[in-house]
Every structure is written in structure tokens, then in C-alpha cells.
Amino acid sequence: MSSPLKIALAQINVIVGDLAGNADRIIAQARTAHSAGVDLLVTPELALCGYPPEDLLLRPAFLAGCDEQLERIAAELADLPGLQVVVGHPTAREDGVMRERSWSLPPCLNAASVLAGGRVLQTYVKRELPNYQVFDERRYFYSGRDAGLLPVVFDVRGLKVGLLICEDAWFDEPAAAAKAAGAQALCVINASPFHVGKVAEREARMAERARATGLPLLYAHVVGGQDEMVFDGASFAMQADGTLAVRAAMFEEALVVVELDPSTRRLAGRIVPEPEMEAQVWQALVTGVRDYLGKNGFPGAILGLSGGIDSALVLAIAVDALGADKVRAVMMPSPYTADISWIDARDMAERLGVRYDEKSIVPMFDAFNAALADEFKDLPLDATEENIQARIRGTLLMALSNKFGSIVLTTGNKSEMATGYCTLYGDMAGGFAVIKDVAKTLVFRLARWRNAQGPEIIPDRIITRPPSAELRPDQKDEDSLPPYPVLDAILARYMEQDESIADIVAAGFKPEDVERVTRLIKVNEYKRRQAPVGIRITHRGFGRDWRYPITSRFRA
Amino acid sequence: MSSPLKIALAQINVIVGDLAGNADRIIAQARTAHSAGVDLLVTPELALCGYPPEDLLLRPAFLAGCDEQLERIAAELADLPGLQVVVGHPTAREDGVMRERSWSLPPCLNAASVLAGGRVLQTYVKRELPNYQVFDERRYFYSGRDAGLLPVVFDVRGLKVGLLICEDAWFDEPAAAAKAAGAQALCVINASPFHVGKVAEREARMAERARATGLPLLYAHVVGGQDEMVFDGASFAMQADGTLAVRAAMFEEALVVVELDPSTRRLAGRIVPEPEMEAQVWQALVTGVRDYLGKNGFPGAILGLSGGIDSALVLAIAVDALGADKVRAVMMPSPYTADISWIDARDMAERLGVRYDEKSIVPMFDAFNAALADEFKDLPLDATEENIQARIRGTLLMALSNKFGSIVLTTGNKSEMATGYCTLYGDMAGGFAVIKDVAKTLVFRLARWRNAQGPEIIPDRIITRPPSAELRPDQKDEDSLPPYPVLDAILARYMEQDESIADIVAAGFKPEDVERVTRLIKVNEYKRRQAPVGIRITHRGFGRDWRYPITSRFRA
């Protein structure tokens, strides 16, 4: 009886556009895998260039760079006999021939090449191209099926392995075509962005695919943050009957070894349990922050700490991501800041050990009020004066950022982003919006969850006091907005389910609440368009997957 | 011999999402056309919902509203015997049956229906779906060809007319299929966003299509602004030999009547000459401003007037778009503002007759400097202090906007947006970025062109003095950037032609200039992501057609 095949899934964190660096990462994984006696190493979708490279794919020099690095990886493998490596990469070459560029056709293809012994042996081309939610793959890629290209099946010590790329495996045809071409196992390379519930969704789909084909399935996934997207890792392998055989940890790099018995084709390896929902979201946010700062070269982060729960949560995430020495908090009291806000902000900064300063905004507020006194003299106070306060804070934080290089993290949550309960150029000013896709009710859950994990780092009163922007006397969020559980439920129905006003009212919500919330979502489109990028953790965030016109008269 | 057929192209300005309003506009056009003895009225692509409706198309209630308004238009036509109307609209119905929704498939189709005598007679479905540049049509629509739907040919007093939708006519197959189905003339409904050179490009393509099929071609186009896009009208008709027979004016609504001789199938009508490039761009910018404010309900505009050319140009455009009584200019001098800047700003405001005020930023600047003095005490002055000045200005303008309701127009040009020579939350603060796609060299040309049209409204010194941000003593733009003709040429090659650094150097530019400019484009991606929406006038603007990752290590 022959020994089991060793297949390793390279759950790596690559950087978009870092072609030489990513190639080095893949080569390093290959060396490690070779030393461990691995037969086949599988890297994620577009591992060579990072996912999603977006319009970099329109640049001929970018595609040429990818081709060059692929050849370099192949050449390095000449020294690693017996190892085959699947590399995900874009290319404009079809069967070795450069495709002609055209104004209206996608510039390239999304490929997976099999490398071994110094050469590129075969290249598979993705057949199903997602063009919904955050995905724009038909902007960049043409389909292997549309181009009449065949499935790719390659031999690993006698086992016929069929290649698929991500979306391919969510449909019947590509796997069926691979099986028809002789595949005895499926190998899927992926870049499948995280959202709450994605692990279960993905595994259920792949179990279905395994069962439909009767083939074991290996799923190699990327890990790490890229602008608004976070990739969660959790690479896995399914038996032919759809049973989970192997699962890697979420949100960390791993070389995941799967053993395949050549006679039974049963898989063996370790199953890491799936963390609870709050833990997944926390890790997604920590990963998103760490990678945005790390990959963009920021030395640290700065944020405005108000004594409220949103900034407290973001501070805790930032410290978990970067360490206390890289994070700085600034409290910028206004005339309306309550004493308990100061006390709680100081308390929290102390518990976390971050640098903490207080800078009153009163002198600047006085100066603006004086400059505008003639214009505004007979008019009532309104959001104008509230916004001036928020913008002074934004300007102070940005000045510290400009002088010292740290990035400003914004602290607004999804419920605020949806309803516009935030100030453009004020609390929205910053480079990265950590919790922009976290609804307020989830903000509370995450704060409680984090406190439950270790020492209580968020003072309890920050969690229990009624939320307030503190921009006018005795202000409470719920004076302007429905209670957060109601607001968040309406948002989820309207945004994530595309329900109409009538649908939501029919589900039992007050017509005036539904009218108000959906109107606010609509009229604040222009604000969101100018918001910093931030981490997506739901099925539909305010990023690449929310493309609403600003100019629109539609209401329903 | 029978009388000529009268075909009218409804070059109308519709509003995205204003389903009932757009239906009313179409009905009004139909009544006018009927009174004029028109046989066939042709409205533009998606005229019923406006173009592009973007993610509104994902909402079932939106699609249901479109179906309902289409039926209402059809019903109204019962009173207009002898008139057929082609209406562009989206629908989820295929042959009258609602298509099932699926997570991964486009929700609807891009249709053109023939209405007459109270009924919807036939529905054509677009076959070629652009998914490049600003277009995301494969996110929303499935292709009529992929769905196996047939071409549509309908009868107008004995003439067989084949329907096409926009992109269809840029390819061979749809027109060939219509001809094979018996078409004797082609009728194309369009929403084809303006950029410099587009009129010639479009007419050349359509001439090619007419010649390839040997059929006369009618091209009905929309007019007006929608967020970043401007549609230029200029609807036209081509003889079967590709000769231009009819052309409507650009940038205005029109009911364009084309007569078709039933025996010779020759077309007759009026040809409006194409305006020169600067005039087209000027009208595009005026239309963009007028429609963004009008469709979004802003009572007027406010902007910061610096004494420099960019804000002078934007002021002139705003006054042409809105009238002097709706525009307000504020000069906000810093300690570094030259006397001539004050003089020229006042002079220009006076020439245009707009409200003009001066508000010094010095008291606020002093207050910020004092608040930051401890932190910054031993450090040299740098961009931080420049940005504080710009942000004070942004905050003042936004306060006036918040209190009085006018929108802030930003005044940055494309060369600045590309290189980041602008301040986030400072001069970038505002609701609409009028010249964000106008390179600095074109800014100069437009200023001179506008002065040549009538009284000189932009003082000559504003055009001739060297550009400066006036944020530190004796600052000149060319201290930080290559001369504008060099900068703009590099930008055009890098952005619009996707040339690499090596390509641009090979074309004769200094390596250090090319390195610097392309590096600046890259590192300022995060700024542009937070910029207000603004009018696109080139082949590639910084909007829907510039989708670069912020996190990226690629350099070429």
C-alpha cells in the first residue's frame, strides 16, 4: 500500500501589487512544504498579485510583472523535486499567446497554474466570474468557458486533481467538467471575503459540491485585510460525502497539511473549531486594522476618545491590533461634555495603557462663532454649531496625524453611517473607518464580549449609559433616532434584504420609523460617498457593494 | 407616392428614480409629437428610470414601479392613435413572466418596449452589456442574447424598424440579427456619457454600423447631468451610406424630427454643427452643475474664492449655470494671501455681480496653533500648518452651507486631484467637485475661451500670474510639482493610456518627473476616495472609472 499523499494549503497573507514580495512568500512556503515531504502545495486565488487588484489589472505592466514573477517561482521549484505548486495569478496570455487588447473586452484571465520542476505545466482559467456585491470580475476577466478553454486535471502521484477557482465551485458546471475530464479530487483556490455567517455558507456549498461530484474537495483560502475586505482563512477539506475533514484557524497564516489516502481517497487532518460570531467579528476588525496600517506603512493610530461606546470599542480593537504603544487617544471636550465622559475616557485609557491627552475645543469654537456672528446673529442654533465642534476635533486629529504620521481612525458605526448621524469632515475625518459596518446593537455585543474575555477593559458605564453625541445640552441619540434595536432591524431589512417600506411596515414596524430611517439612508448618500474606507463584516456594507446614486428621487 | 414617415427623437432630461415624473415627461413628449403628426417617438435608454440607476435596480420595489409606470404610459397612448412610442426601461419580466431572483444572477434586463394604442406591443432586450470604464451593466442586467431572446423588428406604416440599445450598435451581431429579422432601418436608444471627443467617436461608429448593414440609423440620446456623468444629447440620424443626415444641439432638450422617405429610405432633417472642444466642455460643466443642484434641490451654491484661476473658473461656471443671484463667493485670507489675490477676487466678484464676503482665517488659525503649541513646539512648520488653514476654510464654508442650505462647490482641478496637491477636509470639503476632471492646462484654456465669448469676466492677472496655494510665504505650485504642461502630459499617459513609467520615460519625459508624478498618484488614492463626486469630461476620470486599491505596493 502506498503512503498517503500530502497536500498543503498555503493560507497566506499577501499584499496587493507586491508581486516580488508575494512570489517570495510563495517560494518560502514551497521550501517549507518540500522539507515536510509535501506532494502538492496550493496557494489561494490570485495569490501572486493579491485580491482584489482592481484596476491594476488594466495596466499592461502589471500583467507583465505577474507573468515574470510566475516564471521566477517556477524556476525556483527546479530545486524542489517532487513538489507541485498551484499558483493563482492573472495573465493576459492564453495558451502562451498574449491576447490582443481591446477597448471593450476584459484585459485578462483569472488563472491557476500548476508549477513543477522549473516549469509551468498547465494553466486553468476561471469559468464563473462573480460580478455582484463587492465583485467586479467581469470588468477584468473573461471566462475560460466563454473562451472555449478546457478544464485542467493534473496528476499528483497517480491522483487526478481537477482545478477550480473560487466561484467555479459555487456552480455545477466547472466541477462536473473537471470530473468528466477524469478528476478524482477537486482543488479549489479562493479569495472569499469574510462576512458574518460566511464560514457556514461556504462549507455548506462546498459540501454540496463534494456530494454532487462524489469527489473529495480541498479549499485553499487567503487570509488578511485589503482595504474594505477581510479574508478569514479557515481553509478546509471535505470528504467525498461532504463531511468536514480538515479546517484551519481563522484570521492567521497557516500551512495546512491534508493527507489523502490514495486507495480510499479519504482525507485526514486537524479540524479547528469555528469561533463564535463575536469572536469572528472581533478578529476580522483586528485583522483589518492591523493589515491596513501595516501594509500601508503607518507607524501607529490616533483617535478621538469621547467617553462613548463607539470610540471605546475602536480603541480596544486598535490596541488588540497594534499594541498600546502604537495607539494614542485624544479627548477633546466641548462645552457640552459631561463629567462622566471625562472620567470614563481617562479610566479606559489608563486600563489599556495608551497615551491619552485632553485638548479643549472651546477656544477654536469661540473663534469660529465670532467669525460667523454677523451672519448667524438672529438665527437659532442648529446642526451647524454641532458640526463646527465635530470639525474642530477632526482638524485637531488630522493635525496630529499630519505632524507625526499616525493614521486617524474614525469611530462611527454602521447605524450612524446609514442615517447620517455623524459629521462629514468632523468625526468622519480619518483614514480608516474601523466599525463602519458594525451596527450599534452589535457594537454593544462586541463590547460586552471583549470585556468577558479577560480583564474588563471597557468601563461598564460606557456600555450602560444612553448614547449621546454631546454636541448640545442634554442631547441623546434616541431624541433623533428610533431606539437602536428598531433602527438596526429596519436597516438590515432595507439594506441587506432590499425590502421596501411597505414590506418593512408589514413586518410590524411603525410606518413613521420606517419612513424616517429609509429617508435618512437616502439623503445621506453624499456623506457616505466621502467616508473613509472601512472594514466590511456583513453581507452588504457601505463600500464596493453599495452603489447608489446620490441624485435619485426614488422612495420605496 | 406616400408621405414621409415622421420619426421624433425625444432628447429629454430625466431624473434617476423619478419614475412617475419621467413617465409624465415621456407622455408630454408623446402628446407634442402626436400633435405634430409624428408616427414614431423614440425615447433614450432607460428613460423611464434615468441612467444609471445603479443599485436601485437591485430593489424589487424599484422594478415593480418601472413596470407600473410603463403600463401607465401605454394606457395614455390609447388617446393618441397612429403614434408608436419606444420607451427605454428596466424590467424583471421576460415575455411577461417575472424572472426568479437569485443571489448570483443579475436581477433584470435593459429593455426597449414599443407602445401604441394603449398596449405594450413588443419588448427588445439589450444584448451587449458594457462592463468597463464607468459601466457596470453586468452587475444589473442579463443579455438578451444569452437568454436566447430574439431581435425585435416592428412596423411603422410599412417600414420595418429594428430596435437596438446603445452598446448593441457598437458591435456587429445585434444589428446583423435585426437585419436578418427583416429590419429596413435601425433605431438605437442611448445613454452614452460625454467625454471630450465622444461625439466624433460615436458618429463614426454609427456610420460604420449603417454602412455595414446598409440601413439608415436613428440615434436617440438623453441629455443632462447625473452625479459624475453628463449626457450631451446631440441625437442624430445617419443615411444608409453613413452620411450624417440630422444632428440635434448638445446639452439641451429637444424633440428632434427626422423625415424618412418610404420609397428611398433617405432621411431628412436639420444638422446642428458640433461646437468646438472648449465650448463642449464648458456646456458639460454648466449642465453638470445645474442638474446636480436642481435635481437634488439645492437653493444655490457657495465657494471659496482665492484670487487664483481654479476658483475663478468654478465661479464663472456656477454663475453661467445658476445665475449670479444663486451664487456666493467667500474670500478667506490667510497670513500668506498676497494683496493682488484680494484685489483680483473682489474684481471678479464685482464683474459677475455675485455676493462676496471676506472672512479672515487668522483668529481660528491662532487658536489651533495655540492648542497644538505644546505638541509642536520644537518642530519645523510643514504641511500640517498649511492643512490647518485649508481646513478652517472648509469648516467656514460648510458652516454657511449648513445654516443656509447652499451647496459648497469645491474648486480643485484634475492635476491637483491626481497629485494630492489639495487638502482633505480643507479645499476638498464640499458637495460637488466641478472641475475635478479638468487638467490644469485645460483650466487655462477654458478661462481664456470663456473670456473670449463676451465681456471679460475673469481678470487677466488671474490667468497670467503663477499659480500658488498661498499657504506659506512665497509659495508657488511649480516648487512642488513639474510645470503643468509636463505634469498633465504625464497624467494623461499614465491614467488614460495605462502607460508604464518606462513607457513614459521612453516618450521623452524626465525619469525623476515621471517617478514623482506616478508616485504621487499612487499615494493619494486615499484622498481621492474621500473626494466629492464631480463631473467627468475625459475618457477616464477619478470616479466610477478609476477603481484602484488604496493598499497597493505596485509601482510601474
Side-chain angles (χ1 to χ4, degrees), chain B residues 43-55:
Chain B
T43 69
E45 182 179 14
L46 297 191
L48 185 53
C49 65
Y51 192 94
E54 302 188 85
D55 279 5

Side-chain angles (χ1 to χ4, degrees), chain A residues 183-384:
Chain A
Q184 297 165 319
L186 297 172
C187 172
V188 193
I189 72 170
N190 305 274
S192 171
F194 174 75
H195 60 73
V196 171
K198 189 71 170 278
V199 170
E201 197 181 334
R202 199 188 276 149
E203 291 182 359
R205 276 284 187 161
M206 293 307 109
E208 215 177 273
R209 191 64 48 233
R211 284 192 301 266
T213 53
L215 301 179
L217 183 153
L218 299 146
Y219 188 102
H221 195 208
V222 73
V223 70
Q226 168 62 25
D227 291 350
E228 72 186 60
M229 293 186 202
V230 180
F231 299 91
D232 51 287
S235 300
F236 60 88
M238 293 278 173
Q239 308 288 6
D241 64 2
T243 321
L244 188 71
V246 177
R247 188 199 288 125
M250 296 184 79
F251 300 107
E252 56 184 63
E253 292 195 278
L255 188 67
V256 189
V257 177
V258 182
E259 293 199 333
L260 187 146
D261 182 311
S263 50
T264 63
R265 292 183 202 138
R266 295 285 294 175
L267 308 173
R270 196 168 142 249
I271 297 180
V272 179
E274 184 187 351
E276 61 191 319
M277 184 274 279
E278 291 86 350
Q280 291 189 31
V281 173
W282 191 270
Q283 289 175 31
L285 298 172
V286 163
T287 301
V289 170
R290 186 185 292 141
D291 279 357
Y292 192 82
L293 270 71
K295 293 178 180 179
N296 286 296
F298 288 99
I302 182 168
L303 59 86
L305 195 64
S306 69
I309 189 166
D310 296 317
S311 59
L313 191 77
V314 173
L315 180 63
I317 294 163
V319 170
D320 279 1
L322 310 168
D325 58 319
K326 297 246 177 21
V327 183
R328 178 175 174 189
V330 186
M331 169 76 176
M332 293 168 287
S334 81
Y336 313 112
T337 301
D339 287 348
I340 55 170
S341 299
W342 296 62
I343 295 165
D344 292 344
R346 278 179 202 172
D347 182 10
M348 173 143 185
E350 218 163 275
R351 292 185 194 196
L352 286 171
V354 297
R355 174 168 174 189
Y356 170 84
D357 298 273
E358 288 170 1
K359 291 191 195 301
S360 167
I361 64 168
V362 173
M364 283 73 78
F365 192 37
D366 288 345
F368 275 109
N369 285 330
L372 294 162
D374 279 356
E375 301 249 9
F376 292 178
K377 65 174 173 247
D378 297 321
L379 300 170
L381 298 179
D382 60 14
T384 307

Side-chain angles (χ1 to χ4, degrees), chain A residues 54-55 58-59 133 139 227 296 328 375 385 387 402-403 425 430 499 530 540 547 550-551, chain B residues 54 58-59 133 139 227 296 328 375 385 387 402-403 425 430 499 530 540 547 550-551:
Chain A
E54 303 188 84
D55 279 4
L58 306 181
R59 307 199 74 85
Q133 292 178 0
R139 180 176 175 88
D227 291 350
N296 286 296
R328 178 175 174 189
E375 301 249 9
E385 287 75 15
N387 287 339
N402 289 163
K403 196 64 100 184
Y425 325 129
E499 290 187 13
Q530 295 188 43
R540 184 178 262 171
R547 304 185 194 178
I550 298 176
T551 303
Chain B
E54 302 188 85
L58 305 182
R59 307 199 74 85
Q133 290 179 1
R139 179 177 176 88
D227 291 350
N296 285 297
R328 179 176 174 188
E375 300 249 9
E385 287 75 16
N387 287 339
N402 288 164
K403 197 63 103 184
Y425 326 129
E499 289 187 13
Q530 295 189 43
R540 185 176 261 172
R547 305 185 192 177
I550 298 176
T551 304

